[in-house]
Amino acid sequence: MRIYWVNPVKNIFRLLLSLISLGLITHLIASGIHWNSHWDQVTQRGQLNVAIRESEGIYWPSGQKFSGFENDLLIDLQQQLDIPIQIFAVRDIDDLYRALEVGAVDMALPATSMGETDLPHSIPYTSTVIGLVQSKTETQKRDLIRTGILDQIARFG
């Protein structure tokens, strides 16, 4: 059998600690916990930070501006969201993923497949099928040799 009146100071300390903890928990529940979503953080900052990989046909420098399909997508997105977009161009895909993982950017456009990653991603907005066309007749092969196309194919094969 335990006797609690033996150490009244220790008992009072435990009681006060329990009451303070209970009061703090009650206060948090009563006032509510407000979590900011990622979009709330973007709007508070006043801009959307996007990392994009420089790639021919997708996003590349053209004089003092950038051109490409994903550049056009970002311009449309900026108009739709009505918030400025800050673009950070990278050349290495690993730098792009690293910037996304550490939270330096809000969104990344890799201009390639995601591969195996734990990062959240959207469905692809476009895809490409690569194939090899082969001539079936000797006349067509001679025409390809004459135009130099077979030499170009041999360099890639």
Side-chain angles (χ1 to χ4, degrees):
M1 181 170 165
R2 260 186 143 166
I3 302 175
Y4 287 100
W5 54 268
V6 172
N7 193 349
V9 175
K10 191 175 182 181
N11 291 336
I12 290 174
F13 180 72
R14 283 184 182 168
L15 180 64
L16 286 176
L17 187 60
S18 298
L19 289 174
I20 290 171
S21 298
L22 183 62
L24 184 61
I25 291 171
T26 304
H27 173 71
L28 286 174
I29 291 172
S31 64
I33 299 172
H34 181 67
W35 296 100
N36 284 340
S37 69
H38 192 92
W39 181 246
D40 291 338
Q41 295 171 5
V42 169
T43 54
Q44 287 174 358
R45 184 183 330 120
Q47 71 182 19
L48 179 68
N49 296 327
V50 177
I52 188 168
R53 188 171 64 94
E54 288 186 24
S55 175
E56 279 295 321
I58 302 298
Y59 186 81
W60 72 96
S62 176
Q64 294 295 325
K65 296 183 178 185
F66 280 87
S67 301
F69 181 67
E70 290 191 352
N71 184 61
D72 297 341
L73 287 176
L74 288 173
I75 290 170
D76 288 344
L77 182 64
Q78 182 172 325
Q79 291 172 351
Q80 290 287 326
L81 297 177
D82 194 30
I83 190 165
I85 295 179
Q86 176 69 42
I87 299 173
F88 298 96
V90 298
R91 292 179 191 250
D92 187 27
I93 193 89
D94 291 332
D95 291 339
L96 182 122
Y97 289 139
R98 199 172 306 114
L100 190 60
E101 286 173 348
V102 300
V105 294
D106 304 305
M107 185 170 96
L109 301 173
T112 185
S113 64
M114 289 293 292
E116 295 295 321
T117 180
D118 292 334
L119 295 171
H121 55 278
S122 69
I123 58 171
Y125 53 81
T126 188
S127 63
T128 303
V129 177
I130 299 173
L132 178 63
V133 178
Q134 183 178 1
S135 173
K136 291 187 178 181
T137 67
E138 287 299 315
T139 306
Q140 290 171 330
K141 286 183 184 178
R142 277 184 294 221
D143 290 340
L144 291 175
I145 291 170
R146 185 176 46 80
T147 59
I149 292 176
L150 281 183
D151 292 334
Q152 292 176 2
I153 293 172
R155 280 187 278 166
F156 295 107

